[in-house]
Amino acid sequence: MADAETADEASQPVTSPAKQVIYCGDAVAEKLSSLSVEARAKAEKDSLKKAAKAEAAASREAEKLANSIVYIKRVERSKRKYVTVVSGLELFGYELKKVAKDLGKRFATGSSVTKNAAGTGEEITVQGDVSDDLYDWIEEHLENVPEDNVECIEDKKKKG
């Protein structure tokens, strides 16, 4: 019988008393309960952090919109020919192609979306000198653009 006991003992791994304390049922339940409280606290902290980030992003976006300006430029193309260029509308969330199409219909002229000279964004080019009428049209039809954020500029193209 002694041989059977030693065979059973040999098949079972030897555990030290320290491991028994860590892995016993009461200790595991105790650690899990404290972990869930810590996890809840961490999740709550993370959610507050995410909410603060979202709020900061929204305030930055609102500030960016308040500082954004729509420029209406009248550019001389040749002696008596002008084009009107509108830039800065994309910052207010408008699709430039749709706005260009509406402007072409409204003023019965050609209008297109082109890349600006600096290559940083896009602008709408409308054939003809319609800068004053365009200023009024933007005030009426584009509600997201404040009146104070629209600026008219006259620009002469140098002959090269």
Side-chain angles (χ1 to χ4, degrees), residues 73-136:
K73 298 179 189 175
R74 187 181 95 168
V75 181
E76 186 176 353
R77 195 169 55 94
S78 63
K79 291 183 183 179
R80 293 176 54 196
K81 306 280 183 179
Y82 293 94
V83 293
T84 305
V85 178
V86 182
S87 60
L89 280 177
E90 68 275 358
L91 298 174
F92 290 96
Y94 291 105
E95 291 185 38
L96 295 183
K97 288 187 177 187
K98 288 183 180 180
V99 174
K101 190 169 185 172
D102 290 343
L103 291 175
K105 288 179 182 178
R106 167 64 177 91
F107 298 115
T109 61
S111 128
S112 63
V113 177
T114 57
K115 292 188 178 182
N116 64 1
T120 57
E122 294 183 328
E123 58 192 13
I124 299 174
T125 305
V126 182
Q127 293 178 353
D129 180 14
V130 293
S131 57
D132 295 332
D133 297 331
L134 186 57
Y135 182 85
D136 296 335

Side-chain angles (χ1 to χ4, degrees), residues 15-86:
T15 58
S16 67
K19 286 186 179 180
Q20 287 178 352
V21 172
I22 293 175
Y23 294 109
C24 76
D26 296 334
V28 170
E30 194 175 293
K31 292 290 183 186
L32 286 177
S33 67
S34 66
L35 180 63
S36 65
V37 170
E38 290 172 2
R40 272 191 246 136
K42 186 175 181 182
E44 189 175 315
K45 184 179 176 183
D46 287 347
S47 66
L48 291 174
K49 215 184 245 188
K50 286 181 183 180
K53 277 187 178 181
E55 186 177 316
S59 66
R60 278 194 307 269
E61 187 69 27
E63 185 178 325
K64 184 178 179 182
L65 282 179
N67 293 335
S68 299
I69 296 178
V70 175
Y71 293 102
I72 302 173
K73 298 179 189 175
R74 187 181 95 168
V75 181
E76 186 176 353
R77 195 169 55 94
S78 63
K79 291 183 183 179
R80 293 176 54 196
K81 306 280 183 179
Y82 293 94
V83 293
T84 305
V85 178
V86 182

